[in-house]
Structure formats: C-alpha cells, structure tokens
Amino acid sequence: MKNIILKPIKHRNKNVVAIQFGYDDEIKDHLKKLDKILWSQTIKYFYIDLSLQNIRTVYDHLKLKNWTVDFSLLNEAIKNLKIERKRTSLIINQLPENYELELKKFKRWLFQKRLSENTVNTYIEVTTVFIKYALRKELDIYNTKTVETFNYSYIFKPNKSISYQNQFISGIKKFFEYKGFANGEIHLERPKKERKLPVVLSTYEIKSILNSITNLKHKTLLSLLYSAGLRIGEAINLQITDIDSKRMLIHIKQAKGKKDRYTLLSPAFVTILRLYYKAYKPTKYLFEGQKKEKYSNASAQRVLKIAVQKAGIKKNITLHSLRHSFATHLLEKGTDIRYIQELLGHSSPKTTMIYTHVTETSLKNIKNPFDDLF
C-alpha cells in the first residue's frame, strides 16, 4: 500500500501543501495530471497552494488509486481556512440599499469612462467587498486608513496574486475618484510585477492538440485562436459578418482598448470554417451555445484542457498560449515585429518584444561555450 502525507509548509513566502512520499514513479505520474501541482527543486516535494479546494482536489485525486493519504498535519490549517471562509462569507452577504444604489451609480460612471465590461465588473466586485468589510468593522469607508487596513488584512496578508492586488488598488482608486477624492490622497503601494515569459507551444504540439479533437466546433474554435492570434474574448465576440474571405482577413471590432483591427484569415482555416458553418449554421455569432447565445469562455477553457490531456502535453497552458504561439512562430519565420504588433493589437511595441525572448530561432543561433570543450 502506498502512503502519502499532506502537510502545510511555507515555500517562497507562500502557504502551500507539500505532498510527501517515498520515491515512486506511479505517484509522480498521477500527481502530474493535476494542473496546479508544482515540483520544487529546493524542498524536493510536489506542492500546491494552500486552500480548502486544493486540499480536497489533491485528496480526491490520490484516493482514486485507493492509496493511504494522511492529512492529519493539515487539521489546524483546515480549521483556520474554514474560519477565514466563514469570515469572508459574512463580508460578501448583504449590503444596505443605499450602498447598492451607490454601486449602481459607480458602475454607470465607470462605463462612461469607456472601460471594458470585464474591467467594470472587476472594479465593482472589489469595491463591494471593501465596503462590506468597512461596514462590518464599523469603519469610515472614505478614510484612507480603512483602505490600508483592508489592503493588509485581505489582500497582502493572504498573499493574493499580483494581478488581484493590482485590480483591488485600481478599483478602489477609481471609487475614490468617483467620490471626488484626489488620487494622491490614497497611498497604496503596488506590488512589483512579475516578469514571466509566455508559455509557447511548438508547431508539433499545436498539431497534436488539434488532431486530438473530434468535435468540429471545438476544433474550429482552437484553430481560429491559433491561426489568427486572437484573445478568447475576441473569438467568442466574432460575428459571421466579421469574416472577410475575399480579402482573407478577419475584422476584430472594439477589442482591448476599444480598438478595431484586422488579422489574418488562414486559407487552411477557411476549409475547416466552411465545414463548421455547414454543420452548425450559426445565425449571428460565429460560435454559439446551445440556445444560440455567445459561446462561453468557460466552455472554451474546458475544450482546451481535454484536448491537451488527450495530446499528452504536460505544459501548463491556457487559451492565451495559442495566441503566444502564433506570435512566436511568426517571428521565427522572419515576420517583421511591427506587423506582429498590428496583428495582435498591441498598443506598444514593448509588449510584442517579449516574444523575442522565447523564439527558438534566436536561441539556436547562440553558440554554447560548453560545446567548445569537446
């Protein structure tokens, strides 16, 4: 019988669950099937971020094999997590009517600032949580000390992701701006942005993913994301009339930054698209759900996850990885980076320049000094 111990540890200033077991290839291979599982060369353990959901996911995954899983060392951590969840749920419950009205007005104000729907919803969400926190603690909502206290207790201390921290800071600053406060009156230090290179798939891996899909709609969607370098939001917002097969272009309307642009329509993709159109007969949007509404982001994510598993690819990839791969492969084929910037819809060439760090062509041209030793 295989024995596995789950225990809480601190790793890179984060609370994580370490998965301890004797050397065993079967356990290793089984754990690698979970998306969020990471290996640490420092502590020599597989680990996952500490949360109730992650503990349950790992436990259930290991019990599929009927292995013995000892999580007694997690009892105290689980207890604290449950208390925190209960405390958070109290914040997220009811909001007085006058504040509900205030948030509706704030939402309209944000839309008038021409912010995207996703950004507006995020700002409303973080502001709502902040207001509920202040009310529960009986603190002055419009006091910067309240903001700083909330930021420490619910953002910094739990070690929320850098993107979440920035969303919170931006959302609260916008709320204070809406209320007539000057930006300088709120002192919130933004976290340093992590500099991560994008995950890029090889052309072989792209082909493996697409070949693993039997559903025509799913194959067409992922093919579009790669062949046109689209964000998932741009793909699911595409209408039939945005496909210009005469000019072999795709018209992307009001994308990120409220900008229109054109991108490539691949001749090979057109063949797939015509088969898809005959089979599914979309009426307005190119990709529609069962009730003819827009296809959902969550559905697209599931499609990719299943395809990646079937293709046997171990990289931690997302739908956006297809866009990264499109840009990188263009650069490797010698496409001018200014054209790639236009195709992707980047405002600044600095954003596009990140692909120069991951191109296989550039790296292969570097002579490794180790080779001169032999």
Side-chain angles (χ1 to χ4, degrees), residues 208-247:
S208 297
I209 289 171
L210 296 179
N211 285 343
S212 73
I213 305 171
T214 54
N215 182 290
L216 182 56
K217 180 192 281 187
H218 298 167
K219 179 175 284 193
T220 307
L221 175 59
L222 295 192
S223 297
L224 173 66
L225 290 173
Y226 171 68
S227 68
L230 300 187
R231 303 176 179 96
I232 182 56
E234 294 168 349
I236 60 182
N237 281 316
L238 269 184
Q239 297 187 17
I240 299 165
T241 53
D242 296 329
I243 305 296
D244 188 344
S245 56
K246 290 183 179 178
R247 298 172 63 207

Side-chain angles (χ1 to χ4, degrees), residues 180 198 313 366:
I313 294 170
I366 300 171

